[in-house]
Structure formats: C-alpha cells, structure tokens
Amino acid sequence: MKKWFLLSLILIFPRFSFCQNGTNSIKHVDKMNLKGAVKTIKHTAYEPISIESDSINLLKFDFFGMHNYIHKFDIQGWLLEKTELKLREDQLIPSGIWTYDYDEEHRLAKESYIFDAIDGSDTATFEYTYPFDSLTTVVEKRKGEFQRIYHYKLENRTEEFITINSDSSYISKSFFEMDAQRRIIRKEDYSNVSRLQNLTINFYQDEIFRTPNKVLITHFKSGQVYLTENLLDEQGNITSQKNISLNTGEFKTTTYTYIYDTTGNWIEKKEFIDNRPRKVFRREIEYYLY
C-alpha cells in the first residue's frame, strides 16, 4: 500500500509513489481517509467461523495478501514504517518491515523493505532522485543488485509512469490524468507494447472524498468491460460496492458496516456478501497528543 510497486508486481511490495508534485504530495493519512493526528494503526482481519443469533464468533484471518499490519506516521501524516504481520499458531508476528526516509523537502528519498522469504530473509530498496520538479526516478535493488528503474514525469495534470527492467527487455508505460484535487480520473496502461491495453476511468460524486463512486475498466485484449458502483457514507467510506460485468450483466454486491471512534476513523468494519458476514476488520488507533 508509497503505494507504488503494485503497479507492476501485485501484493509483494508496496506501490511506488508518484512525482512529488503529483499525488505523492498528498499525505498518506489523507490517502487512507484518516482523520486527526494519527500516530499508529494496527489492522487485524478476522473471518466468522460460526454465527449465533446475537453474536459472531471470529477467527483471525491471514491468506494471500496483506490483511494484518501496523502503520506508523509522523506528526505531519507521512508514513515512517509499515510492518506486515503473519499468522503463526494463532499469533500475529512481523514478517516484513518497510521503512521510509525523506529528504529536507520532505520528499520520499528511500524505501527499504526486509521480509521473510522461503530461503531466508530478503531485502529490497527503492531510491528516489528528483532531477527536476516534474521528474522522479526510482531505482529498485534486491539484495543490493539492480532490478528495475522507474520514471515518473508530470506535465500539467498528467503523469507518465515508465517501468524498465534490468536488461531493458521489458518496458511498460502508464498515464494518469488527475483532477484539481489530484485524484486519478483516468488511467491508461500500455504494458510492453505501444497499443492501449487497459483503460480505467474514475468518477467522483463531490470534491471532498478520494474514493470514486464509479469506476469503469476496459480490457481491450479480452474485450471485457467492468463497472464498479460505490456508495459512500458521511465519512467517505464505502458502504456498498456493486461490481458489474457489462458484457454479461452479471454482478456481485458487497456491503460494509462501520463502528467509528470519536475522531471519525473506523475501528471496526464488517463485510457482507449476499447479507452474509464474510470478514471483520478491526483497527487500534493511537493519536499524537498536542
């Protein structure tokens, strides 16, 4: 989720940030729709194992992906550290740690990641340089060896993102168009070819929330078109999400309920599919004291 690398590899590393003058100028707490001076968040996932008339018995959930983690922020709302937690004998223990370093202008300078691999610990680093205000270059290394280079170029409200692997045999390109609030309204993916592969268009219901109320995705290679419709509550969180295949008309609706703390951040979220509980997420939130 700095949320950058998933543009190229899903669920293994955090995603790359955009150029400093692009969406990376938005604080991490704002990207996560957090209110107040959040210091740490511990996020834990559960799945119901039995449902009684007035209660749900829960079991900690840990499958492919990052469902359990701890985020630490500085007083300004930027990430300092992220710890992934994995379930071992009913205990959540750290399995990967990201750390974030910033330069004097509070631009991201380096992300470091150490994680438990099958053959032992592995490491990755992403080093940021800013040749110009509108250009960001990121060098990825694994165990100290060069893997990829990423270029972000911002022009007006359009950001170009290019990925080049170590021998330049694979080059992918994406374009992000942003609105006045620096929210992504259009994304074009060109993969390793010059022809457009995927097109994503985001629609927003107001100028406040960063979550779109509609997302239209077109996969040109397969011809599949999908529409996601989101309903948001007063805090900007999704209460209903309807995923529709425009080719077949088939759809699935997921609904969510929340319990909020006094600051307006949710501390419990329940997920329902066809009115049956599927997941429960809980957050322990610590705030800075002024």
Side-chain angles (χ1 to χ4, degrees):
M1 90 217 290
K2 130 139 204 326
K3 314 311 187 200
W4 22 269
F5 188 45
L6 286 179
L7 293 172
S8 54
L9 294 179
I10 303 297
L11 298 174
I12 304 300
F13 295 106
R15 293 181 228 180
F16 284 147
S17 305
F18 291 91
C19 295
Q20 184 64 21
N21 290 332
T23 56
N24 193 45
S25 59
I26 301 167
K27 297 177 180 179
H28 293 112
V29 291
D30 293 332
K31 292 181 182 181
M32 297 175 63
N33 193 30
L34 295 171
K35 286 83 174 175
V38 176
K39 185 177 182 180
T40 63
I41 284 184
K42 182 179 180 180
H43 183 283
T44 307
Y46 302 86
E47 60 181 347
I49 55 174
S50 64
I51 303 174
E52 301 176 0
S53 59
D54 57 351
S55 64
I56 301 175
N57 296 317
L58 301 174
L59 185 68
K60 289 177 182 175
F61 175 79
D62 181 24
F63 193 59
F64 187 69
M66 186 184 296
H67 302 284
N68 304 286
Y69 54 82
I70 299 173
H71 285 176
K72 296 181 180 180
F73 304 90
D74 66 13
I75 188 66
Q76 299 180 55
W78 300 96
L79 271 171
L80 294 174
E81 183 178 286
K82 183 171 73 174
T83 302
E84 180 180 6
L85 304 173
K86 285 297 183 183
L87 195 60
R88 299 288 187 270
E89 298 180 354
D90 200 39
Q91 297 295 320
L92 291 172
I93 63 173
S95 64
I97 298 177
W98 290 261
T99 57
Y100 303 84
D101 298 318
Y102 300 88
D103 63 16
E104 294 180 352
E105 299 179 43
H106 218 96
R107 300 176 302 185
L108 190 58
K110 185 177 181 179
E111 298 190 48
S112 302
Y113 179 41
I114 181 169
F115 60 99
D116 292 330
I118 296 176
D119 56 350
S121 295
D122 201 351
T123 60
T125 59
F126 304 89
E127 297 180 355
Y128 288 70
T129 57
Y130 302 88
F132 309 101
D133 287 342
S134 61
L135 180 63
T136 302
T137 296
V138 186
V139 175
E140 175 197 348
K141 295 180 180 179
R142 289 283 300 273
K143 292 186 176 181
E145 296 185 3
F146 172 72
Q147 295 292 314
R148 295 174 184 82
I149 191 167
Y150 306 84
H151 296 291
Y152 302 83
K153 183 180 180 181
L154 181 66
E155 184 174 349
N156 296 321
R157 293 180 182 172
T158 300
E159 191 161 51
E160 179 186 51
F161 170 61
I162 299 175
T163 303
I164 306 172
N165 66 353
S166 58
D167 61 2
S168 299
S169 61
Y170 182 88
I171 301 175
S172 68
K173 183 181 295 186
S174 298
F175 291 92
F176 301 86
E177 183 180 347
M178 292 169 280
D179 64 10
Q181 286 73 40
R182 290 167 294 183
R183 302 175 299 190
I184 296 174
I185 58 176
R186 180 184 177 95
K187 176 188 174 187
E188 300 177 3
D189 294 314
Y190 289 87
S191 189
N192 199 31
V193 295
S194 58
R195 188 181 307 174
L196 180 62
Q197 299 293 295
N198 303 306
L199 173 64
T200 301
I201 300 177
N202 295 324
F203 302 89
Y204 299 88
Q205 65 185 23
D206 52 43
E207 297 182 357
I208 301 174
F209 300 130
R210 307 198 64 81
T211 300
N213 67 313
K214 289 186 179 181
V215 180
L216 183 65
I217 302 177
T218 303
H219 302 286
F220 289 96
K221 186 175 181 179
S222 65
Q224 298 296 310
V225 182
Y226 299 96
L227 175 66
T228 297
E229 296 179 338
N230 295 322
L231 294 180
L232 309 180
D233 64 10
E234 294 180 352
Q235 301 293 343
N237 294 308
I238 296 174
T239 59
S240 176
Q241 184 173 80
K242 185 176 182 180
N243 294 298
I244 311 164
S245 168
L246 297 186
N247 300 80
T248 65
E250 296 178 348
F251 66 89
K252 181 180 72 172
T253 300
T254 305
T255 57
Y256 303 90
T257 62
Y258 300 89
I259 296 175
Y260 289 94
D261 65 11
T262 56
T263 306
N265 293 313
W266 67 262
I267 53 177
E268 181 176 277
K269 178 172 73 172
K270 293 181 180 179
E271 175 186 300
F272 300 84
I273 297 179
D274 296 329
N275 295 319
R276 291 186 60 84
R278 295 295 299 271
K279 296 288 184 300
V280 176
F281 306 93
R282 291 174 177 167
R283 301 198 300 195
E284 300 173 30
I285 304 177
E286 180 185 1
Y287 295 90
Y288 283 100
L289 300 178
Y290 293 103

